[in-house]
Amino acid sequence: MLSDFFKKTPKNYVTVRVDTPKVPAGLLRKCKKCNSALFAEDVRRHGEICPKCGAYFRMRADQRIALLVDKGSFRPAFAELPVENPLHTAGYEEKLARLREKTGLDEAVVTGFGTIGGIRTALGVCDGRFLMASMGRVVGEKIVRLVERATAERLPVVLVACSGGARMQEGIVSLMQMVKTSQALRRHGDAGQLFLSVLTDPTTGGVTASFAMLGDVIVAEPEAMIGFAGPRVIEQTIGQKLPKGFQSAEYLLEHGFLDQIVPRNELRGRLETLLRLHGYLPEKSDASFEAGGTGAAQAAASVTAGTGQMAESAAASGTAEKMQATANAVVGKTRAVGNAPAGTGRKRSKTAWERVLLSRDRARPVGEDYIQALFTDFCELHGDRRYGDDAAVIGGVALFHGRPVTVIAQMKGRNTKDSVKRNFGMPSPEGYRKAKRLMEQAEKFRRPVICFVDTPGAFCGLEAEARGQGQAIAENLFTLSGLRTPVLSIVIGEGGSGGALALAVADEVWLLENSIYSILSPEGYASILWKDSKRAQEAAQVMKITAADLLGLGVVERVFSEPEGFCRETMGGLLEELEEGIAAFLESACKKEPEQLIEERYARFRKM
């Protein structure tokens, strides 16, 4: 019996076939992030976004174009270029033919012209269905022809990247497209035209290392994978697992390589805003410009004519005629301020040290407060394109009475958490390099630069030294000295040492009544000169760092009174005076030729 137990006995199985209904092709789509099975129509209605978890699906070129341009305005161009097989790669032409038939595309990029908010724009959109939008000769040629036409017609360019990089089947010829596209964009930029680069998932390889990262403004979709080498290649090369979030749009923003991350449903509006801020107007607008050189807009006297923004600005502070009258009234006017500033006779005279303490008061308005109060449509831009984005310096493009301006401000925090984030207003090298990038961009588009200075000094830590703090400040002084556009700097708190000077090589420097501007802090001065930092109060008096002292020395042109208990809630009167002063400065400075601005700026500092 036991032997029977181990005998193999045949088992009889019955196979039951059940016919399951087949899902029609294209009915369902699967989200790679949450693994949900979704109706394709629901995904389409949500803008190719997962309705459950918000993850982004990749978009076809035609979908992207419909998302970005005004309905019915897009006209394709350069779609009939011949097939290229420069290395005579076997089977390549047949593969291209199959892809053309399957996708309905002629190549991996769709190029043409359309309008965004009525603004005529050259548009190129990569489509990942065609060999992962890799860049071969035809792709490079289409982009170059698009950019060259845009340069000739003085149009902005928007390129939407989605690519696996260079095209292997075309070898070295594919590599040369990196140079070709970069050269075309250089000429477009030299002609004073705007290039907006939009990065989507994925953007890698030779596209990242050429046109994709050359935008005057670079924006990306959330969580887009962006990098030079793909993550698999990197992991195989270094033998390590990559950290989570590496090469994401968020990672690049943190490290200074992007200006903004823009949700898909906001992208069209953001592009329109950026076009207007750079001086481009809708084709049928009757607005005219007097100064500048940005494409369709000729420059920067009034970017918002026809949009209501100028009327809103005028209404906020009286009629346009009143604004012009007050602006004319303050041209050349300098307020004499001593210990008892003009118009403030009831104030008690303050010591230099008391003014130092007031300049550091935590309740005092910070740079962002002035930007929000004095300008409209501020669009903050991020990053130094080298290492990081320093929160101690904020900057971007805004409108002042309808005129595009570049605004840069050193930022102290509003509370402890914010102060730590902004390093207590002490910029690192990447903060100064971000400012320099924005200054150079302002020169390209002939926008005036307005700086708000408020720092105890440049950060002097080990990391800052390793990344070239001294060089970063020196480069700012060098850049501002030759900037071919008006520059105004306003010291709103502490103006500490070279860290402040890096934003104050200006045509005029203004000071608030209880701000200071000094070679270094009184504590540092006393420590160096007298070997006793406790003599800071005495040092403050000796250093001549108050408004009256600086006005007498010719270091500043104007001083503005502050109310008692100066804070965000009490800054209204000061804002009115600043607004009038800025209007007058711009009215005068924007009429000057670049050579005159540079010569007068040189003479201003030469006499000190």
Side-chain angles (χ1 to χ4, degrees):
M1 291 180 60
L2 187 60
S3 60
D4 292 338
F5 182 80
F6 292 101
K7 284 183 179 179
K8 292 183 180 179
T9 56
K11 296 181 179 179
N12 297 321
Y13 293 96
V14 177
T15 301
V16 179
R17 296 185 181 276
V18 178
D19 291 330
T20 56
K22 293 182 178 179
V23 177
L27 180 65
L28 296 178
R29 298 178 69 180
K30 185 177 181 180
C31 175
K32 293 183 179 179
K33 186 173 182 180
C34 68
N35 293 320
S36 297
L38 308 165
F39 285 108
E41 181 61 22
D42 288 343
V43 175
R44 187 191 64 78
R45 282 202 305 266
H46 282 80
E48 297 299 310
I49 298 174
C50 176
K52 292 189 176 181
C53 72
Y56 282 22
F57 287 83
R58 293 173 185 172
M59 299 186 82
R60 303 192 312 261
D62 61 319
Q63 293 173 319
R64 182 74 66 179
I65 291 167
L67 176 75
L68 296 181
V69 304
D70 301 333
K71 188 175 181 179
S73 70
F74 184 75
R75 299 291 180 270
F78 319 117
E80 301 301 326
L81 299 181
V83 172
E84 295 277 354
N85 187 5
L87 303 188
H88 307 290
T89 303
Y92 180 45
E93 292 176 38
E94 291 78 6
K95 184 164 190 162
L96 293 178
R98 289 194 299 271
L99 284 169
R100 287 184 171 194
E101 182 178 356
K102 180 179 179 180
T103 64
L105 300 169
D106 69 293
E107 249 292 354
V109 65
V110 177
T111 53
F113 301 87
T115 61
I116 300 176
I119 300 168
R120 189 160 182 259
T121 304
L123 181 66
V125 179
C126 294
D127 193 318
R129 295 176 299 155
F130 202 106
L131 285 178
M132 202 45 240
S134 53
M135 185 164 63
R137 187 182 185 281
V138 173
V139 170
E141 185 67 18
K142 291 183 72 173
I143 291 173
V144 168
R145 292 192 186 193
L146 179 78
V147 174
E148 288 175 342
R149 175 82 65 82
T151 304
E153 298 184 17
R154 303 187 67 77
L155 298 176
V157 170
V158 175
L159 295 179
V160 183
C162 168
S163 178
R167 187 168 295 182
M168 296 299 104
Q169 293 90 337
E170 297 189 23
I172 193 67
V173 175
S174 172
L175 195 69
M176 295 302 106
Q177 305 312 305
M178 295 169 61
V179 180
K180 194 164 80 174
T181 54
S182 300
Q183 284 181 327
L185 287 167
R186 172 61 188 261
R187 290 192 173 196
H188 184 261
D190 288 346
Q193 306 309 306
L194 176 67
F195 168 36
L196 301 179
S197 182
V198 180
L199 310 185
T200 69
D201 182 68
T203 300
T204 63
V207 168
T208 301
S210 58
F211 71 83
M213 298 304 292
L214 294 177
D216 295 300
V217 179
I218 304 176
V219 302
E221 288 191 331
E223 299 184 4
M225 197 276 279
I226 305 161
F228 178 57
R232 186 177 62 220
V233 174
I234 297 174
E235 287 182 341
Q236 290 174 348
T237 301
I238 66 176
Q240 298 177 16
K241 190 73 176 174
L242 298 177
K244 187 177 180 180
F246 179 74
Q247 291 187 313
S248 67
E250 291 73 15
Y251 181 91
L252 265 71
L253 182 68
E254 178 185 349
H255 287 78
F257 295 101
L258 301 180
D259 284 294
Q260 299 178 351
I261 294 175
V262 183
R264 183 173 287 174
N265 61 352
E266 298 177 15
L267 185 56
R268 179 179 173 183
R270 190 65 52 84
L271 292 178
E272 181 182 346
T273 296
L274 286 165
L275 291 171
R276 291 180 180 274
L277 286 172
H278 285 80
Y280 294 93
L281 293 174
E283 285 188 309
K284 295 181 180 180
S285 173
D286 294 328
S288 61
F289 287 71
E290 295 179 357
T294 64
Q298 306 299 313
S302 171
V303 71
T304 52
T307 67
Q309 290 287 353
M310 184 179 292
E312 290 172 10
S313 292
S317 54
T319 65
E321 290 78 12
K322 179 182 176 183
M323 285 302 306
Q324 186 61 56
T326 53
N328 291 339
V330 296
V331 173
K333 174 180 170 184
T334 300
R335 182 186 298 272
V337 176
N339 283 332
T344 59
R346 292 190 299 274
K347 292 183 181 179
R348 179 184 66 82
S349 179
K350 296 180 178 65
T351 66
W353 181 246
E354 287 175 325
R355 296 191 189 279
V356 170
L357 296 180
L358 284 171
S359 76
R360 300 171 176 175
D361 190 348
R362 291 289 295 274
R364 194 175 183 86
V366 294
E368 194 171 35
D369 297 320
Y370 293 91
I371 293 175
Q372 291 174 352
L374 291 168
F375 306 92
T376 59
D377 296 271
F378 176 63
C379 187
E380 184 176 359
L381 305 179
H382 294 269
D384 67 346
R385 298 289 193 274
R386 294 291 183 273
Y387 178 84
D389 181 51
D390 185 1
V393 176
I394 64 173
V397 190
L399 301 178
F400 180 81
H401 295 181
R403 182 194 299 270
V405 295
T406 291
V407 187
I408 304 169
Q410 291 167 325
M411 266 294 292
K412 293 181 177 178
R414 290 195 173 99
N415 51 51
T416 301
K417 183 178 179 180
D418 196 33
S419 295
V420 171
K421 171 187 173 183
R422 302 186 186 280
N423 201 30
F424 299 90
M426 295 183 288
S428 294
E430 44 272 24
Y432 292 114
R433 288 175 179 138
K434 172 168 64 174
K436 177 177 178 285
R437 181 173 76 86
L438 296 178
M439 294 167 190
E440 291 172 337
Q441 189 184 94
E443 180 178 60
K444 173 179 175 179
F445 297 105
R446 305 208 184 165
R447 290 192 297 263
V449 176
I450 301 174
C451 299
F452 294 90
V453 177
D454 187 13
T455 179
F459 183 54
C460 57
L462 176 64
E463 304 91 342
E465 292 297 320
R467 296 197 295 272
Q469 184 70 288
Q471 183 191 39
I473 293 172
E475 288 178 349
N476 275 28
L477 305 186
F478 188 85
T479 299
L480 282 168
S481 295
L483 208 66
R484 297 170 63 83
T485 193
V487 183
L488 172 65
S489 294
I490 307 170
V491 183
I492 59 173
E494 288 185 274
S497 192
L501 187 62
L503 295 186
V505 181
D507 304 304
E508 291 188 19
V509 177
W510 300 349
L511 198 75
L512 303 194
E513 175 188 349
N514 292 314
S515 296
I516 61 171
Y517 194 11
S518 60
I519 188 171
L520 78 169
S521 69
E523 293 89 343
Y525 182 96
S527 179
I528 291 174
L529 207 60
W530 302 325
K531 307 295 188 288
D532 184 1
S533 62
K534 294 180 180 179
R535 296 175 64 181
Q537 294 188 37
E538 181 183 351
Q541 187 64 42
V542 171
M543 293 170 70
K544 306 297 182 185
I545 60 178
T546 66
D549 297 324
L550 296 164
L551 194 64
L553 290 169
V555 174
V556 301
E557 277 73 23
R558 291 192 64 178
V559 175
F560 293 81
S561 296
E562 299 175 12
E564 292 289 351
F566 186 38
C567 61
R568 285 188 287 277
E569 289 72 26
T570 62
M571 62 190 299
L574 170 64
L575 289 172
E576 289 182 8
E577 292 192 23
L578 282 175
E579 185 174 20
E580 293 174 2
I582 294 171
F585 171 81
L586 294 177
E587 177 70 18
S588 173
C590 288
K591 291 179 180 177
K592 297 178 180 180
E593 293 295 324
E595 291 73 17
Q596 182 183 358
L597 287 169
I598 294 171
E599 189 59 34
E600 290 180 357
R601 198 178 304 145
Y602 181 84
R604 181 184 184 277
F605 289 91
R606 179 67 177 82
K607 66 185 180 183
M608 292 184 189

